[in-house]
Amino acid sequence: MTVVAFAEKNKAAAQIASILGDGEVDKISVEGLPAYEFKWKGEEWLVMGLSGHIMNYDFPEQYNKWNDVDPGVLLGVDPEKFVTRKDYAAAVKNLAKRADKIILACDYDREGENIGFEAKTLAEEVTCVPVARARFSALSPKEVKKAFENLMEPDYNMAMAAEARQILDLKMGAAFTRFVTLSVREKARTKDVLSIGPCQTPTCGFVYEREKAIRAFQAKDFWKITAIFSAKGGEFEGTHRAGNIHDKEKAAEIFKKIKGAKEGLVAKKTVKEAKITPPNPLNTTEFLKRASKFLGISPEVALEVAEQLYLAGFTSYPRTETNKYDDDFDFKTLVFDFARQKEYKPFAESILIVPIVPKNGEKDAHDHPPIHPIRAASRGEISSAVNIPQAPEVYDLIARHFLANLMPAAVFEKTHLHVLVQEDPFDSSGTVLKDSGWLEVYPFENKKDKLLPFVEEGEKVGIKKLSNTKSKTSPPKKLTEAELLTLMDKNRIGTKATAPTHIETNKKRGYFETKGKTVSILDTGFTLMEGLSLTVPILVRPEIRAKIEALIQEVEEGKKEFESALDEGTVLIKEMYAQLEANKKELTSRIAGTIKDEAALEDKKNYIGTCKACGHVLKIVQTDSGRFVGCTGYPDCRNSHPLPKTGALTVLRSKECKKEGAAVLKVGNKYNWAVGIGPCFTCDLEKECYPPETVGPCPECDGSMFLITFKDTRFLGCTKRCGYTHSVPKTGKLTLLEKTCESCGWKLFRLKEEEGETPEEEFCLSRRCKEGRKFWKKPYSGTESRYQAKASVNSGANRAVSQATSQATSQATSQKTSQATSQKTSTIAEKVSKVSSAGKENK
């Protein structure tokens, strides 16, 4: 007789074959895949490992073109099951033809049962031999032999529960993802797929809600009154019983009353013994939370490591909801094994000297025992067998948790002192660990002592310091992965096996990320959740998913027919889809607008600021007919502002328009432009916004001299436009310094020649100053004529400069369009340059 068994993975198949074949196993190839041949109890055996699911559901091909099919149609279409791994399907049929009996030996949970039924379905296409089920929770010799000696019927209801989940998840995920993605693409240029999932979306929703609370938080002031007391045994701190006082006057009143106190009275002393019991045995959720919290390992990695430890025969099956051991669990044999392992020996020996009584939880899901080690192993053994860096740490956590579960409670002595300071109560607490108990083996949760000096009731203590400290309330903390898993478990989002997958899917989609142990939502995730929560909140909240999970559970328990559960689940999904359609306009406007905003924010060159009309982003828009500042909220928001038709535009981030223009732009090198206001040189607040950097007092009036620079020339002019000008070196980099001339009070300059012919120096430019005249007389080689230009003293020429400047300003003010403004500005520069040059030549 030939028996064929199918395990879930090749590693499990190899373990089963080694155990049943007592090591005498031949590895063969079937359709290019490994299988194992051996004899057991006089029968020929063939064992093969699958590759997880080798079949999957999808819609018929004609429904897979997104733009050709209304997403809502998918909710009424029955998906088809396809073979996804043809090599494995061929191998299953090949082995089934040789079989007189088939045994399904996949993992014993909903997905494992379904994978086994996939093999069963394929085998039944070529044979009709009996099919049985082997159930085990650990790949240990004892468990495996017991399972194959006590075969059961395959669990049809459990397999169909997984089938129902696959179909409902596909319908919802495909329809909702297509609808949202295509709707947003109508309004925003994006190639991204906005993925919606029945478990993925509520999972992201938990992170979004926490982030929303953090962003909405407004800190409030509070005051805390504390005292540092001194006694013979040392110092200790006490806090006024009022705690955090949010009324400043009240805090001040209390503090004023006790401020001068020099001593306090210990009115009451309470000493109590407190016990902290060991943790409950590990189920999957608790294991993932502790791996994240204590080891900093993500849930997906932790579950993968636990899976490999199970397949290697070190630990029990890692997917379980049970947190209590069966009454007949053989603790003693396993603890004896740990007593032979140096690292765990002292803890195991302390357990063995007294009757073993585990600390049990309350949940027995009748699936698998709690996660526990099935044999003691060193870190080296684990590393050799499981090629994942975190494997020794994960095994150590599981082993120590198991041992801690069998140890006595930790005992603490807690002391509370009630101290009166002029009748005002202060509290101080201390904790001392008296008996480590289970904490001895469990370093992850070691509690530190907080010692208090020994004092008695009625004793007076000194006051070293009294403080009334102002603080601010803190925003909510970001979610940790452990907290996220707790929320998912509490709200029935996903299962013990799939929860890590839903977290990882959100990371891959770019919806949130983990930094250390905390989870932070990303812009795309926040945008999507914000849009959904404001328009179709039922998608983000977990209630509908919990109802669907309940339907699936009823199928597993045999309380509901498979088809009936599909019908009811589809009705729930259609209700959500109807809300999605009804709110399409608002949803897509929000999401598309935010996508445009994000793109505009990233485009630093064209980003202007926030639109006051709608709150979206203003940016520079270039079209074939010109350019303007527009809003990303278009077409819902049509707020826009004109721009000059010519000239390169540079956003001056450090400038702020006093007339509340959206931003200030530099137009070429000619002038500035306030968005929504116009050219700055036509504005009556120009001098306030751009006060000239003055050199010193004007020699002719009460104005100040400042540097005027044009493309072809530069000189000093008067802020009062009195007509006085002063020449400066024509070439080289001229820098105005903060230092002043001791003789005349003008600010000094520094000149750096482009050719580097002259050394840098600091000098005064004023020809009416003796220090300035020294500079102008210096004979630099080849450059003397350059510095011998005389100061501008010809009043007629200066008046011409002044008139040209005034005329230019008047002409610029009269211009109404950006193009005319640009042209006039060029004319102004030319006129001023010509008049200035003419004046200097006359002089």
Side-chain angles (χ1 to χ4, degrees):
M1 182 176 180
T2 300
V3 181
V4 172
F6 294 108
E8 192 162 322
K9 293 182 179 178
N10 177 59
K11 205 167 183 179
Q15 284 274 62
I16 291 168
S18 178
I19 291 168
L20 298 182
D22 290 326
E24 296 183 9
V25 179
D26 292 326
K27 185 176 180 180
I28 62 173
S29 178
V30 180
E31 303 292 340
L33 298 170
Y36 303 91
E37 193 172 24
F38 58 91
K39 288 187 177 181
W40 188 51
K41 294 190 174 181
E43 296 175 334
E44 297 288 336
W45 281 71
L46 289 162
V47 180
M48 174 189 166
L50 302 174
S51 178
H53 285 286
I54 59 175
M55 300 178 75
N56 202 5
Y57 277 101
D58 200 355
F59 291 106
E61 188 175 347
Q62 64 266 32
Y63 294 98
N64 287 333
K65 293 181 179 179
W66 284 35
N67 293 315
D68 296 344
V69 180
D70 184 338
V73 171
L74 300 177
L75 300 179
V77 176
D78 291 328
E80 299 175 354
K81 199 161 192 179
F82 298 91
V83 171
T84 55
R85 298 297 304 269
K86 293 183 179 180
D87 51 347
Y88 280 91
V92 167
K93 292 179 180 180
N94 185 319
L95 290 175
K97 290 176 183 178
R98 308 187 205 179
D100 296 303
K101 184 177 183 178
I102 292 174
I103 297 175
L104 307 180
C106 297
D107 298 342
Y108 181 49
D109 59 12
R110 192 184 288 169
E111 293 303 317
E113 201 71 19
N114 188 259
I115 291 167
F117 265 71
E118 291 175 3
K120 177 176 177 290
T121 300
L122 292 168
E124 287 173 346
E125 293 180 12
V126 296
T127 187
C128 56
V129 299
V131 179
R133 178 68 157 103
R135 298 177 183 172
F136 45 86
S137 296
L139 287 169
S140 64
K142 181 180 177 181
E143 283 252 7
V144 170
K145 288 177 181 178
K146 180 181 177 182
F148 279 89
E149 287 170 350
N150 298 276
L151 297 173
M152 300 178 180
E153 287 294 315
D155 193 329
Y156 173 81
N157 291 334
M158 184 179 278
M160 289 301 100
E163 205 96 338
R165 181 195 61 76
Q166 291 172 22
I167 293 171
L168 292 174
D169 284 2
L170 174 62
K171 283 188 172 185
M172 181 177 173
F176 285 50
T177 296
R178 290 191 196 184
F179 180 88
V180 174
T181 301
L182 293 174
S183 298
V184 170
R185 285 179 181 175
E186 291 175 7
K187 287 199 169 190
R189 292 183 179 180
T190 176
K191 294 182 180 179
D192 293 340
V193 173
L194 295 171
S195 175
I196 307 291
C199 291
Q200 166 201 317
T201 301
T203 299
C204 190
F206 293 131
V207 186
Y208 160 75
E209 290 294 340
R210 178 61 62 87
E211 180 64 25
K212 191 168 70 167
I214 293 171
R215 294 186 185 186
F217 175 80
Q218 292 183 342
K220 294 181 179 179
D221 293 337
F222 69 89
W223 288 260
K224 181 182 281 189
I225 299 173
T226 57
I228 296 178
F229 299 107
S230 60
K232 291 180 181 179
E235 296 177 355
F236 63 99
E237 185 174 320
T239 302
H240 196 282
R241 192 164 291 175
N244 294 347
I245 306 168
H246 294 277
D247 186 334
K248 181 179 180 180
E249 285 71 25
K250 182 181 177 181
E253 183 183 342
I254 294 172
F255 190 68
K256 182 179 179 181
K257 187 167 65 170
I258 64 173
K259 188 174 181 181
K262 299 299 182 184
E263 62 181 19
L265 175 69
V266 180
K268 189 175 181 180
K269 178 180 180 180
T270 306
V271 180
K272 290 183 179 179
E273 191 173 84
K275 292 184 178 181
I276 299 180
T277 57
N280 289 332
L282 286 174
N283 59 18
T284 304
T285 301
E286 193 62 30
F287 160 67
L288 296 176
K289 285 161 58 177
R290 289 176 180 254
S292 174
K293 180 180 178 182
F294 298 142
L295 306 180
I297 298 174
S298 72
E300 186 178 55
V301 172
L303 194 58
E304 173 60 23
V305 173
E307 172 91 3
Q308 294 303 316
L309 290 171
Y310 155 72
L311 292 172
F314 292 110
T315 59
S316 64
Y317 189 61
R319 296 180 178 90
T320 176
E321 294 182 9
T322 298
N323 66 355
K324 63 186 298 186
Y325 290 103
D326 288 338
D327 294 337
D328 61 350
F329 191 95
D330 186 4
F331 291 106
K332 186 166 284 189
T333 301
L334 184 53
V335 176
F336 264 118
D337 191 31
F338 274 94
R340 289 191 286 269
Q341 186 64 246
K342 182 180 179 181
E343 191 171 355
Y344 306 105
K345 182 178 180 180
F347 317 118
E349 288 178 341
S350 70
I351 294 170
L352 292 169
I353 60 176
V354 294
I356 298 177
V357 180
K359 163 71 186 315
N360 271 328
E362 297 179 352
K363 188 167 185 178
D364 185 358
H366 304 289
D367 51 356
H368 296 278
I371 302 171
H372 64 277
I374 61 173
R375 68 184 181 91
S378 67
R379 287 176 174 265
E381 284 182 82
I382 300 295
S383 296
S384 298
V386 180
N387 190 26
I388 303 178
Q390 299 92 336
E393 285 73 27
V394 171
Y395 174 83
D396 184 60
L397 172 63
I398 294 171
R400 288 179 180 275
H401 196 100
F402 168 75
L403 294 173
N405 193 248
L406 308 179
M407 294 174 73
V411 181
F412 290 85
E413 183 180 85
K414 295 193 172 184
T415 303
H416 177 262
L417 299 179
H418 174 197
V419 183
L420 293 177
V421 178
Q422 294 185 359
E423 303 305 319
D424 270 84
F426 282 73
D427 296 295
S428 186
S429 298
T431 303
V432 177
L433 180 63
K434 293 185 70 178
D435 186 343
S436 299
W438 64 277
L439 289 175
E440 190 71 27
V441 72
Y442 212 73
F444 316 109
E445 285 191 359
N446 267 345
K447 303 289 192 300
K448 291 184 179 180
D449 292 344
K450 183 183 176 184
L451 300 175
L452 290 176
F454 184 79
V455 294
E456 293 286 5
E457 279 188 14
E459 183 177 332
K460 290 184 177 181
V461 292
I463 298 176
K464 190 173 181 181
K465 184 179 180 182
L466 280 169
S467 303
N468 181 18
T469 307
K470 178 184 174 182
S471 301
K472 287 185 179 293
T473 52
S474 300
K477 292 182 179 179
K478 289 185 180 292
L479 279 177
T480 63
E481 281 193 297
E483 289 172 324
L484 181 56
L485 286 165
T486 300
L487 286 170
M488 294 172 70
D489 184 49
K490 181 180 178 181
N491 290 279
R492 302 183 68 181
I493 300 300
T495 65
K496 57 187 180 294
T498 62
T501 304
H502 302 315
I503 293 175
E504 201 61 30
T505 298
N506 275 291
K507 293 181 190 176
K508 289 176 181 176
R509 300 290 186 201
Y511 294 164
F512 60 68
E513 64 180 354
T514 51
K515 291 182 177 179
K517 298 177 183 179
T518 60
V519 184
S520 299
I521 199 160
L522 297 170
D523 289 342
T524 303
F526 192 89
T527 297
L528 182 59
M529 293 302 108
E530 179 92 334
L532 292 174
S533 66
L534 292 173
T535 55
V536 197
I538 198 170
L539 267 176
V540 178
R541 292 171 187 161
E543 290 82 359
I544 294 295
R545 184 60 202 181
K547 289 181 181 179
I548 292 175
E549 286 291 347
L551 288 174
I552 295 169
Q553 187 61 36
E554 286 184 295
V555 172
E556 183 173 328
E557 294 170 357
K559 297 177 181 178
K560 192 175 288 292
E561 293 293 327
F562 171 70
E563 293 294 340
S564 177
L566 283 183
D567 291 341
E568 289 184 39
T570 301
V571 168
L572 290 171
I573 294 171
K574 284 181 176 178
E575 288 176 5
M576 289 192 286
Y577 191 82
Q579 291 189 35
L580 198 62
E581 284 187 310
N583 293 279
K584 174 182 176 180
K585 184 177 180 180
E586 186 179 356
L587 171 66
T588 52
S589 292
R590 285 185 175 277
I591 297 177
T594 308
I595 289 173
K596 290 178 183 177
D597 289 350
E598 290 169 0
L601 286 167
E602 290 176 5
D603 184 4
K604 301 298 183 185
K605 182 179 178 181
N606 293 311
Y607 168 70
I608 294 297
T610 302
C611 176
K612 294 178 182 178
C614 69
H616 282 294
V617 174
L618 292 175
K619 66 173 185 175
I620 298 173
V621 179
Q622 303 275 355
T623 67
D624 293 339
S625 58
R627 58 188 178 180
F628 61 93
V629 169
C631 177
T632 55
Y634 179 85
D636 299 319
C637 177
R638 295 179 177 271
N639 186 23
S640 64
H641 304 289
L643 290 174
K645 290 185 178 180
T646 60
L649 300 177
T650 305
V651 183
L652 303 177
R653 303 292 177 195
S654 61
K655 291 289 185 182
E656 186 174 336
C657 177
K658 293 185 181 294
K659 287 194 173 181
E660 298 186 355
V664 179
L665 310 179
K666 184 77 172 178
V667 184
N669 289 318
K670 297 177 181 178
Y671 61 98
N672 291 348
W673 180 286
V675 175
I677 305 297
C680 294
F681 58 72
T682 67
C683 179
D684 57 345
L685 299 180
E686 181 189 14
K687 288 183 180 178
E688 290 185 36
C689 295
Y690 306 100
E693 192 173 17
T694 59
V695 178
C698 174
E700 298 291 326
C701 71
D702 60 350
S704 297
M705 301 301 291
F706 69 102
L707 183 64
I708 299 172
T709 303
F710 291 115
K711 184 177 181 181
D712 299 321
T713 187
R714 61 187 178 186
F715 57 91
L716 298 181
C718 178
T719 56
K720 291 291 184 71
R721 297 175 181 172
C722 73
Y724 181 82
T725 61
H726 193 296
S727 61
V728 298
K730 293 181 179 180
T731 61
K733 183 180 179 182
L734 199 59
T735 304
L736 183 62
L737 307 176
E738 286 302 315
K739 296 180 182 179
T740 58
C741 175
E742 294 180 359
S743 298
C744 69
W746 273 24
K747 288 184 180 178
L748 301 182
F749 280 88
R750 179 188 294 127
L751 182 69
K752 181 178 181 181
E753 282 296 319
E754 294 175 2
E755 300 84 1
E757 297 170 351
T758 58
E760 288 188 26
E761 64 173 320
E762 298 171 1
F763 52 85
C764 177
L765 276 179
S766 175
R767 285 184 176 275
R768 298 192 178 187
C769 167
K770 63 177 182 179
E771 295 298 327
R773 288 194 292 272
K774 288 180 184 178
F775 166 75
W776 289 104
K777 290 180 180 179
K778 284 187 178 178
Y780 294 101
S781 124
T783 63
E784 185 173 354
S785 61
R786 186 180 304 157
Y787 298 124
Q788 292 304 318
K790 295 183 178 179
S792 302
V793 294
N794 186 300
S795 60
N798 290 332
R799 279 194 296 272
V801 172
S802 178
Q803 289 168 2
T805 306
S806 299
Q807 180 187 4
T809 303
S810 174
Q811 289 173 333
T813 304
S814 68
Q815 302 311 309
K816 302 299 183 182
T817 64
S818 59
Q819 183 177 19
T821 299
S822 178
Q823 292 170 346
K824 289 293 181 182
T825 304
S826 299
T827 304
I828 295 164
E830 290 169 7
K831 287 186 177 182
V832 173
S833 177
K834 288 176 181 177
V835 174
S836 176
S837 299
K840 289 181 211 171
E841 289 170 5
N842 290 335
K843 289 177 252 181

